[in-house]
Amino acid sequence: MSTYNYVSNSVNQRKRTCICSLLLMVPLFCSVLLLFGAWLQSDSLRLSLQVHLSNPPLNVDHHGDSEIPKTQEIKANTTEVLQSDKCNAICKPSGSDALPNGIVSKTTNMEMQSLFGHVNKKTKQKKSLLAMAIGIKQKALVGKTVKKFIEADFSVVLFHYDGRVDEWKDLEWHDKVIHISAEKQTKWWFAKRFLHPDIVDEYEYVFLWDEDLEVENFHPSRYVSIIKKEGLEISQPALESGKSEIHHQITVRSMRTRVHRRYYKIGRCDSDSDSPPCVGWVELMAPVFSRAAWRCAWYMIQNDLIHAWGLDMQLGYCAQGDRKQKVGVVDEEYVAHVGLPTLGSTAEKSQESLTVKEADHRLEVRMKSVREMKEFRDRWRKAVEEDECWIDPYKEASIVKPN
């Protein structure tokens, strides 16, 4: 009796297991069947459309005249949908939607064109750009710098902050560069307004230099070759010790290296330092930007903070990678920073000829620069706090106060 019950229970249990398995398989089987049916239906519809579109039946009205096949309407609608999808995928610059895509010119450059003659489509494009804010009292230094860069096949744009443009006409390269004049404005004021990334996008590198630099030992083409090989997105030439006004030790030329990316100072900067100005830092006096780095840096320049103090501490965010590797100072190609007074100075006039209104404003300029630096830091801090989507790649980096 017990054996029979055991066998009966085992059989019943197996039957229940099989029934449960079948019940579980039914939904799965139905899902597969539905998917197959949908695929078959769409495939049949596609095949039917192909047959009808290749051999469209003609509708004949009661007068015996042929009408437009309805399948042609289907074809036209299908083409419109495909064309719409294709057009939506084209990314056009804002404001150019009313133009055919082929006529849209997204970028420009600083190359001058002839007023007459044929359109020269094969004009050799300059590879890099030098931009400087200049005044007439630095004419000798600027003249040598511009001459070297033009000989190296650079484009050059000069920002005249004193309005004395005509006094440069005696130099042989005067008509080979672009002159832009606005009195008492800084290099960064000009850069924000005239060096938009789309304007300089055709250049590999942008050299944004001060006017008080001696370039006797500097060769632009060699410099570009070095920063390409070293993978530097943001860089500057080293400063020649003994002939330069030095503000930060990281900018001083090293005699032992081709390029250096950090400097060491007991109690301040060591091999574990990971923040500017110990590493990943250049001075705003003579920065050189790659195309991608400049596009980023331009957006960081504040329209109203014309001295750009504080910008140097954040430039590493535009290095297109690790600032400890992508930012550096080039030792093999170096300059001398003379450190002559420029904006706010009255050095070109004798003290006896000065009126009260023409007093030296260098102190006021410096005070405003300090205020702008504080304002920039406040804006950066606020932007970081408010942007929930932004992730700081250097959040854990130690903070080192500038000199």
Side-chain angles (χ1 to χ4, degrees):
M1 189 69 173
S2 59
T3 303
Y4 171 79
N5 289 336
Y6 173 78
V7 173
S8 177
N9 290 335
S10 300
V11 172
N12 291 334
Q13 185 175 358
R14 284 196 298 271
K15 287 181 179 180
R16 285 195 298 270
T17 303
C18 291
I19 291 172
C20 290
S21 299
L22 287 173
L23 290 174
L24 290 173
M25 289 295 292
V26 167
L28 181 62
F29 178 76
C30 291
S31 299
V32 172
L33 194 60
L34 287 172
L35 290 173
F36 179 75
W39 174 83
L40 188 62
Q41 184 178 3
S42 63
D43 193 59
S44 299
L45 179 60
R46 191 183 303 110
L47 181 60
S48 176
L49 281 173
Q50 290 175 352
V51 172
H52 281 287
L53 291 176
S54 60
N55 300 291
L58 294 177
N59 296 326
V60 182
D61 62 12
H62 62 281
H63 295 293
D65 297 327
S66 298
E67 295 179 351
I68 297 175
K70 293 184 177 180
T71 49
Q72 289 188 10
E73 296 180 10
I74 297 176
K75 181 178 181 181
N77 292 336
T78 304
T79 303
E80 288 178 5
V81 171
L82 294 175
Q83 187 69 19
S84 177
D85 291 342
K86 177 183 178 181
C87 294
N88 289 335
I90 298 176
C91 182
K92 287 187 174 182
S94 177
S96 67
D97 294 337
L99 304 176
N101 192 50
I103 204 65
V104 175
S105 183
K106 298 180 181 179
T107 62
T108 184
N109 53 46
M110 294 290 182
E111 309 307 312
M112 289 183 281
Q113 302 292 333
S114 174
L115 287 174
F116 45 82
H118 297 288
V119 177
N120 187 0
K121 297 181 180 180
K122 297 182 180 180
T123 302
K124 184 180 178 182
Q125 170 64 38
K126 304 294 195 301
K127 291 186 177 181
S128 295
L129 173 71
L130 169 68
M132 302 176 70
I134 64 170
I136 194 63
K137 62 187 175 183
Q138 308 292 0
K139 186 175 181 178
L141 287 176
V142 173
K144 294 177 182 178
T145 300
V146 173
K147 187 174 185 296
K148 269 202 170 185
F149 276 83
I150 288 179
E151 290 173 349
D153 206 27
F154 273 61
S155 290
V156 178
V157 57
L158 299 178
F159 303 126
H160 296 265
Y161 60 75
D162 59 1
R164 298 165 69 176
V165 181
D166 290 343
E167 296 180 49
W168 297 81
K169 287 186 176 181
D170 59 315
L171 298 179
E172 59 179 333
W173 47 258
H174 174 270
D175 58 352
K176 297 180 182 179
V177 307
I178 292 178
H179 301 266
I180 299 175
S181 178
E183 292 192 34
K184 299 180 181 179
Q185 300 304 313
T186 70
K187 175 176 72 174
W188 299 98
W189 182 92
F190 283 108
K192 186 65 174 179
R193 286 151 182 83
F194 299 104
L195 297 182
H196 186 281
D198 288 344
I199 294 177
V200 299
D201 186 72
E202 297 183 17
Y203 301 107
E204 286 185 295
Y205 296 97
V206 175
F207 289 61
L208 190 55
W209 281 17
D210 286 356
E211 59 185 335
D212 55 342
L213 300 173
E214 288 185 353
V215 293
E216 181 181 354
N217 298 298
F218 183 83
H219 307 87
S221 296
R222 292 183 195 172
Y223 184 91
V224 169
S225 178
I226 292 172
I227 60 178
K228 280 185 177 181
K229 186 173 182 179
E230 294 288 338
L232 297 179
E233 297 285 334
I234 301 174
S235 62
Q236 74 160 84
L239 301 184
E240 185 177 5
S241 180
K243 294 182 65 176
S244 301
E245 181 178 292
I246 305 296
H247 299 144
H248 300 273
Q249 286 301 312
I250 194 173
T251 64
V252 178
R253 182 189 179 211
S254 171
M255 304 291 289
R256 297 171 296 178
T257 57
R258 187 184 197 187
V259 169
H260 69 270
R261 295 173 171 84
R262 63 167 62 239
Y263 89 105
Y264 302 89
K265 185 176 181 180
I266 297 176
R268 182 178 177 82
C269 298
D270 54 35
S271 57
D272 294 326
S273 300
D274 53 8
S275 293
C278 299
V279 65
W281 188 89
V282 297
E283 194 170 2
L284 297 183
M285 165 197 60
V288 179
F289 302 89
S290 70
R291 180 188 294 110
W294 176 248
R295 181 168 289 274
C296 171
W298 185 89
Y299 286 108
M300 198 193 304
I301 301 170
Q302 303 295 289
N303 195 56
D304 57 330
L305 305 184
I306 61 173
H307 295 288
W309 278 31
L311 191 73
D312 52 353
M313 299 297 287
Q314 309 298 352
L315 279 182
Y317 285 93
C318 293
Q320 311 302 301
D322 186 358
R323 65 188 177 189
K324 296 191 296 294
Q325 297 298 323
K326 298 289 187 177
V327 181
V329 179
V330 177
D331 298 302
E332 282 193 1
E333 293 296 326
Y334 56 96
V335 298
H337 181 208
V338 180
L340 298 176
T342 54
L343 281 174
S345 170
T346 53
E348 72 274 10
K349 295 185 177 182
S350 64
Q351 291 297 319
E352 291 78 9
S353 67
L354 293 178
T355 66
V356 175
K357 292 183 179 180
E358 293 174 322
D360 197 312
H361 295 290
R362 278 178 291 173
L363 179 59
E364 287 89 340
V365 168
R366 186 171 183 83
M367 289 175 63
K368 183 178 181 181
S369 300
V370 173
R371 287 194 296 269
E372 284 191 3
M373 180 169 61
K374 181 181 183 303
E375 176 64 22
F376 178 80
R377 289 175 177 174
D378 291 342
R379 291 183 189 183
W380 179 274
R381 189 179 305 109
K382 182 180 179 182
V384 171
E385 293 172 354
E386 293 180 350
D387 192 341
E388 298 178 355
C389 300
W390 184 71
I391 300 174
D392 188 349
Y394 304 111
K395 186 176 182 179
E396 302 302 324
S398 58
I399 303 299
V400 179
K401 293 182 179 181
N403 292 336

